[in-house]
Amino acid sequence: LSAGVCCCCAALRPRYKRLVDNIFPEDPKDGLVKADMEKLTFYAVSAPEKLDRIGAYLAERLSRDVVRHRYGYVLIAMEALDQLLMACHSQSIKPFVESFLHMVAKLLESGEPKLQVLGTNSFVKFANIEEDTPSYHRRYDFFVSRFSAMCHSCDPDPEIQNGIRIAGIRGIQGVVRKAVNDELRATIWEPQHMDKIVPSLLFNMHKIEDVDSRIGPPSSPSAGVKEENPSVLAENCFRELLGRATYGNMNNAVRPVFAHLDHHRLWDPNEFAVSCFKIIMYSIQAQYSHHVIQEILGHLDVRKRDSPRVRAGIIQVLLEAVAIAAKGSIGPTVLEVFNTLLKHLRVSVDFELSDRRSSAGSATLSTSSKESDERIVQNAIIQTIGFFGSNLPDYQRSEIMMFIMSKVPVLGTTSKSLDPSNLGDLGTRRIQIMLLRSLLMVTSGYKATTISNALPAPFLDPLLSPSLMEDSELRQLVLEILHNLIDRHDNRAKLRGIRIIPDVSDLKIKRDKISRQDVSFMKKHGQLLYRHIYLGCKEEDNVQKNFELLFTSLALTTIELANEEVVIDLIRLAIALQDVAIINEDNLPMFNRCGVMALVAAYLNFLSQMIAVPAFCQHVSKVIETRSVEAAYFLPETVFKDKCDLPKSLEKDEKDLFFLTNKIAESLGGSGYNVERLSVPYVPQVTDEDRLSRRKSIVDTVSLQVDILSSNGTEDKVDNTEEITFEALKKAIDNNGLEEQEKEKRRLVIEKFQKAPFEEIAAQCETKANLLHDRLAQILELTIRPPPSPSGTMTITSGHAHYHSVPVYEMKFPDLCVY
């Protein structure tokens, strides 16, 4: 009767229609007739083959009521559908679901907000039902599109707008749950769906006045908060979506995020972008983190021509992602991350210098702003490189250290480093400094078991090369990197600043016994370290920080790597540095000479207390006390003050102010040290690294064995032999003449090695080696021959009674007799 038919016609209608008609009351305000609904439910469960017809008839009635705006009956029909869905789970429910989805679609298409919310609620209930068998033909394309559109509702009434957006988000959540749970179907992950779902969620996440950088796992807000706040609901839905992503569809879920951030220009400022990727990194499975990092790197490549602040925003997002990924699995993207970042570092420097060149004539405000923006990009890249590297395991960190070092450009050379050909000297220096800064961050906190692991030869040589360059900042960075790698017991902070330490024991230095591997390392590479410290002290542009870092280098070498042999080498190095300041062959400024003297004083004071030889400590203390009274500018506490009165010249005869080799040898010899090598002046190891600094090093040229020239044949011998005359003796006695003679010899040596062919020098070396070999053979032959008979004894007499008769061994070479 409620359908408007007569009683006779109603009796002839199918039973399922009569049961459906009976659930609708005459007045829709009375609601669903519960008794008749129970009958309809029992009939549907008993005859599941009738479900499709029941669903089709309910859909027909609902469509008619929607068109006629009879919304009361619409609510009753949807309530009945919901109850039937919850009660029936047989295979025959599939056709019924199609009718149900058709009715939900009708409600979503209507312009009435209440009906849209009603349809969404019904769909969410349906999404929570676990079906017995999957459906291969069902698609949710319409629902994805419709729910996504509802997420962008712009209704003028704020309450209605909020309700529709919440309904849209919940609908998307229902679609995701329904589709993802069906393992045989993955259409929801297709790009055309993700391009609608993800931006809709991000749009609502961004619609909050104070964007929070949520760095932890998903929160669990109360149900009331979820319903009232579209941002919180969208974020939870976004987390759930990402949590269900697998290896094959992870990228499809992440790429729309970039499109949304690009379209809405959310990289500058990038607070929301950082928040989004923190959510992503914490929501996905840890083993898929490298997918996200790869996508960020790819997007950085795409946006490489954008403004510096946009690129800096993307790099900052990468830093946040890397910070989370480094704690878990980072996969095969380690080198890719560093390679891409170094490439963008090169591009940023190129942009900065090109802007500077284009505005060389007029320094405008916009140009300076661009340069400062590029500096922001460069600092972000360095920070990312350093943070990523410092969070890697040790075995990967050592590889990254060598990788970064291989990219440092060297002036005047061609290598696999970042191409500096188009940058010029300024651009190359900028890249060198930034790469060394990033390497400094990577090496921070690195604790190698042995020094050979921290400083392998392929890494040590290129690392020390910049320490010869004429740039104090580069040399400082190299020394700081070296400190990170040598300091295995965190003693560097205790040694900070160059000073005369009254009592080293108060510093509570931590150290272990020198291992066999470390001893071997110093035998192989110790001279290389000494050389770079020696040459580093002779640079004219050294400032106080350079001397402080050089002091720390010597102190850390003493703590970590010094046995008795290394201690002797370090003392020889210190005395050689003192001679550099006194003799001043390099014409160093007075500040540098006094700085070197102060460095030697501070270090020998530290070394003497570390090895605890009383006589050595006494000599060092006496010299320091004398300096404090007569020459305070030789001490670090004085010379490095802002206003220090420096002397006009240094007197070479004031031996009380200097550390004397004979005194040190005497003090150490009494304590069991082998001090023979102290009498041999330290000379830097011969290498070809000076070409890196683009300057000639007289020290290195002189350090070649000077006596090669004295053994290069008869002609050279004649040239270097002086006739003993009165004038020659007079010149030898005269100090000034002696100095001039030495300078002339040095000039001849330098000229010889600068102009002579390489083959000639090699032949001279070979001749000297052969002569030495012959003499050693003669000595060996002498020592292994048996003593002669007593009849072959020769007595050597003297006017003094204490000489005795000594047997003389028979030898082929009378000029090599040994008594």
Side-chain angles (χ1 to χ4, degrees):
L1 292 174
S2 61
V5 296
C6 63
C7 295
C8 295
C9 294
L12 297 176
R13 293 166 64 84
R15 184 181 180 187
Y16 73 89
K17 288 188 176 183
R18 296 199 304 269
L19 291 173
V20 169
D21 291 337
N22 291 338
I23 66 173
F24 291 92
E26 292 184 5
D27 186 357
K29 295 181 180 179
D30 296 337
L32 182 68
V33 180
K34 295 182 179 180
D36 292 327
M37 186 63 215
E38 291 177 358
K39 295 178 182 178
L40 177 61
T41 303
F42 179 77
Y43 177 77
V45 173
S46 303
E49 68 277 3
K50 300 292 186 180
L51 267 174
D52 59 334
R53 299 183 182 181
I54 296 174
Y57 184 61
L58 276 171
E60 179 185 345
R61 288 197 54 139
L62 183 137
S63 299
R64 186 171 61 247
D65 292 335
V66 169
V67 172
R68 296 176 180 179
H69 301 285
R70 299 171 65 179
Y71 298 140
Y73 288 119
V74 172
L75 296 175
I76 294 173
M78 291 306 300
E79 184 179 354
L81 284 169
D82 293 341
Q83 293 189 23
L84 288 174
L85 276 174
M86 301 298 294
C88 304
H89 297 283
S90 64
Q91 294 183 359
S92 301
I93 199 176
K94 301 302 178 188
F96 175 74
V97 169
E98 298 303 322
S99 300
F100 167 78
L101 294 177
H102 177 70
M103 287 184 283
V104 172
K106 285 288 185 182
L107 296 180
L108 296 177
E109 286 179 331
S110 67
E112 183 64 34
K114 293 182 180 179
L115 296 185
Q116 294 178 6
V117 174
L118 177 63
T120 302
N121 294 336
S122 296
F123 183 85
V124 171
K125 294 177 183 178
F126 161 72
N128 293 326
I129 297 175
E130 296 184 4
E131 301 181 51
D132 297 335
T133 57
S135 175
Y136 300 100
H137 64 280
R138 189 185 305 153
R139 297 185 63 87
Y140 299 100
D141 299 15
F142 167 79
F143 296 100
V144 170
S145 300
R146 189 58 194 155
F147 289 137
S148 299
M150 292 169 63
C151 290
H152 294 82
S153 174
C154 295
D155 195 280
D157 189 340
E159 293 185 3
I160 295 177
Q161 180 190 103
N162 195 63
I164 295 176
R165 288 186 179 180
I166 289 176
I169 296 169
R170 294 181 64 241
I172 288 177
Q173 195 171 27
V175 171
V176 171
R177 290 176 180 175
K178 195 64 179 176
V180 172
N181 289 336
D182 193 346
E183 297 180 358
L184 298 179
R185 297 175 62 257
T187 57
I188 193 65
W189 298 106
E190 293 178 358
Q192 62 266 28
H193 298 320
M194 287 291 104
D195 290 344
K196 298 174 183 177
I197 292 175
V198 173
S200 300
L201 298 176
L202 296 178
F203 176 77
N204 284 275
M205 289 168 59
H206 195 223
K207 286 297 180 180
I208 183 171
E209 293 183 1
D210 299 325
V211 179
D212 229 349
S213 294
R214 301 173 180 87
I215 59 174
S219 56
S220 300
S222 62
V225 174
K226 285 184 180 181
E227 294 296 332
E228 295 176 0
N229 194 338
S231 177
V232 175
L233 184 61
E235 180 182 327
N236 283 277
C237 181
F238 189 50
R239 290 182 185 270
E240 183 178 348
L241 173 68
L242 295 168
R244 295 173 182 269
T246 59
Y247 180 85
N249 48 47
M250 171 60 63
N251 293 342
N252 290 340
V254 174
R255 286 171 185 165
V257 178
F258 295 103
H260 179 82
L261 297 175
D262 289 342
H263 180 71
H264 294 277
R265 299 179 181 178
L266 297 176
W267 294 112
D268 177 31
N270 67 339
E271 288 83 0
F272 180 70
V274 170
S275 175
C276 285
F277 278 92
K278 284 181 178 180
I279 292 172
I280 292 172
M281 296 303 294
Y282 278 112
S283 300
I284 62 175
Q285 301 180 45
Q287 63 268 27
Y288 303 148
S289 297
H290 62 278
H291 280 286
V292 180
I293 295 176
Q294 284 177 327
E295 290 297 321
I296 299 175
L297 292 173
H299 196 68
L300 182 59
D301 287 336
V302 172
R303 304 298 300 271
K304 63 183 179 181
R305 296 289 178 182
D306 280 32
S307 66
R309 291 190 174 274
V310 170
R311 286 182 279 126
I314 299 175
I315 294 169
Q316 180 67 28
V317 168
L318 177 63
L319 173 62
E320 299 294 342
V322 160
I324 300 171
K327 300 174 184 177
S329 172
I330 49 179
T333 59
V334 177
L335 287 180
E336 183 182 356
V337 170
F338 287 100
N339 198 31
T340 302
L341 289 175
L342 293 178
K343 179 179 67 177
H344 284 277
L345 182 62
R346 165 70 170 79
V347 171
S348 178
V349 173
D350 198 7
F351 284 162
E352 178 185 356
L353 296 180
S354 62
D355 291 338
R356 181 177 299 179
R357 286 192 294 266
S358 62
S359 59
S362 58
T364 60
L365 180 63
S366 60
T367 302
S368 61
S369 177
K370 287 182 180 179
E371 289 183 8
S372 61
D373 289 346
E374 289 295 346
R375 295 291 179 92
I376 295 174
V377 175
Q378 295 158 14
N379 291 333
I381 293 175
I382 292 171
Q383 188 179 8
T384 304
I385 291 175
F387 189 86
F388 195 7
S390 62
N391 281 278
L392 291 175
D394 288 344
Y395 72 93
Q396 281 186 324
R397 200 193 302 198
S398 60
E399 294 178 358
I400 294 305
M401 287 158 47
M402 297 184 68
F403 178 76
I404 296 176
M405 200 66 238
S406 68
K407 298 292 184 180
V408 177
V410 178
L411 291 169
T413 63
T414 56
S415 64
K416 60 182 179 179
S417 60
L418 295 180
D419 180 21
S421 57
N422 297 326
L423 294 178
D425 293 352
L426 179 60
T428 301
R429 178 185 177 275
R430 288 293 310 280
I431 291 183
Q432 287 171 338
I433 289 177
M434 286 184 287
L435 288 179
L436 289 177
R437 284 174 55 195
S438 62
L439 185 60
L440 178 63
M441 296 185 67
V442 171
T443 55
S444 177
Y446 181 63
K447 296 292 188 298
T449 54
T450 63
I451 293 297
S452 57
N453 291 338
L455 291 169
F459 177 73
L460 179 62
D461 293 339
L463 172 65
L464 293 179
S465 294
S467 69
L468 298 179
M469 296 182 181
E470 295 179 318
D471 190 305
S472 61
E473 187 176 358
L474 281 174
R475 299 196 301 273
Q476 292 171 14
L477 289 171
V478 171
L479 291 175
E480 289 177 344
I481 294 169
L482 196 64
H483 298 168
N484 282 345
L485 298 173
I486 293 179
D487 185 18
R488 292 172 291 180
H489 297 87
D490 298 325
N491 292 313
R492 184 174 28 168
K494 304 171 185 177
L495 301 169
R496 186 169 297 147
I498 180 171
R499 63 195 186 281
I500 303 296
I501 303 174
D503 190 353
V504 174
S505 61
D506 293 340
L507 301 181
K508 297 181 180 180
I509 300 293
K510 298 179 182 178
R511 63 185 304 190
D512 294 330
K513 185 178 179 181
I514 308 301
S515 65
R516 185 178 303 174
Q517 293 87 344
D518 292 344
V519 172
S520 176
F521 173 85
M522 290 303 293
K523 288 182 178 179
K524 292 181 180 178
H525 307 291
Q527 293 300 324
L528 186 61
L529 290 174
Y530 305 150
R531 165 187 167 80
H532 285 270
I533 293 175
Y534 179 83
L535 297 181
C537 291
K538 298 174 64 175
E539 297 291 344
E540 292 186 7
D541 61 341
N542 279 339
V543 295
Q544 179 179 351
K545 185 176 181 181
N546 290 90
F547 289 110
E548 290 178 352
L549 294 174
L550 288 166
F551 167 74
T552 305
S553 300
L554 290 168
L556 289 177
T557 303
T558 304
I559 295 171
E560 298 287 347
L561 302 170
N563 56 8
E564 290 189 7
E565 182 179 352
V566 174
V567 167
I568 297 299
D569 287 337
L570 290 170
I571 293 175
R572 290 174 59 217
L573 174 61
I575 297 300
L577 290 173
Q578 180 178 253
D579 293 340
V580 167
I582 296 173
I583 300 174
N584 196 27
E585 292 181 349
D586 297 280
N587 296 320
L588 294 175
M590 185 56 66
F591 169 77
N592 295 67
R593 297 173 69 184
C594 293
V596 172
M597 296 290 283
L599 168 65
V600 173
Y603 173 65
L604 289 181
N605 171 72
F606 176 81
L607 176 63
S608 62
Q609 296 186 56
M610 288 296 295
I611 63 177
V613 175
F616 185 25
C617 293
Q618 184 177 1
H619 172 63
V620 173
S621 299
K622 184 177 180 180
V623 173
I624 292 175
E625 290 175 2
T626 305
R627 288 185 178 184
S628 63
V629 176
E630 300 180 10
Y633 43 79
F634 283 167
L635 298 178
E637 290 83 356
T638 302
V639 70
F640 295 124
K641 287 183 179 179
D642 294 336
K643 295 181 180 179
C644 174
D645 295 330
L646 298 176
K648 295 181 179 179
S649 63
L650 297 183
E651 299 296 335
K652 303 178 182 179
D653 298 332
E654 298 180 359
K655 295 185 177 180
D656 292 341
L657 301 178
F658 306 142
F659 301 98
L660 303 179
T661 305
N662 58 343
K663 294 280 188 182
I664 296 175
E666 182 181 349
S667 62
L668 293 179
S671 298
Y673 281 83
N674 183 4
V675 295
E676 293 181 1
R677 288 189 301 116
L678 280 178
S679 59
V680 181
Y682 169 78
V683 178
Q685 188 182 49
V686 180
T687 68
D688 62 347
E689 286 182 320
D690 276 341
R691 64 185 177 82
L692 302 178
S693 63
R694 300 185 301 170
R695 52 174 164 72
K696 297 294 183 182
S697 177
I698 297 178
V699 174
D700 292 335
T701 308
V702 176
S703 69
L704 296 171
Q705 298 299 327
V706 177
D707 55 351
I708 291 178
L709 291 179
S710 63
S711 308
N712 61 358
T714 305
E715 182 180 355
D716 289 336
K717 286 183 179 178
V718 173
D719 294 339
N720 291 325
T721 301
E722 294 183 7
E723 184 180 0
I724 301 177
T725 62
F726 176 79
E727 293 296 327
L729 291 175
K730 183 179 179 181
K731 184 181 292 186
I733 296 173
D734 188 6
N735 290 333
N736 295 331
L738 181 61
E739 290 181 1
E740 292 179 0
Q741 184 181 3
E742 291 296 328
K743 289 183 179 180
E744 181 63 17
K745 283 185 178 181
R746 191 177 299 111
R747 188 188 65 79
L748 292 174
V749 171
I750 294 172
E751 184 177 359
K752 182 72 174 178
F753 280 93
Q754 286 179 343
K755 297 181 179 180
F758 175 79
E759 292 78 6
E760 180 182 341
I761 297 177
Q764 295 170 10
C765 294
E766 184 177 2
T767 302
K768 180 177 175 63
N770 292 335
L771 179 61
L772 180 61
H773 180 270
D774 294 339
R775 288 184 179 273
L776 288 174
Q778 294 168 8
I779 294 172
L780 289 174
E781 183 179 0
L782 167 67
T783 56
I784 63 176
R785 289 177 64 88
S789 61
S791 60
T793 303
M794 181 176 68
T795 304
I796 301 176
T797 60
S798 174
H800 299 282
H802 61 272
Y803 285 104
H804 303 283
S805 298
V806 182
V808 179
Y809 293 164
E810 180 181 358
M811 293 172 292
K812 293 181 180 179
F813 304 95
D815 60 321
L816 289 176
C817 290
V818 178
Y819 293 90

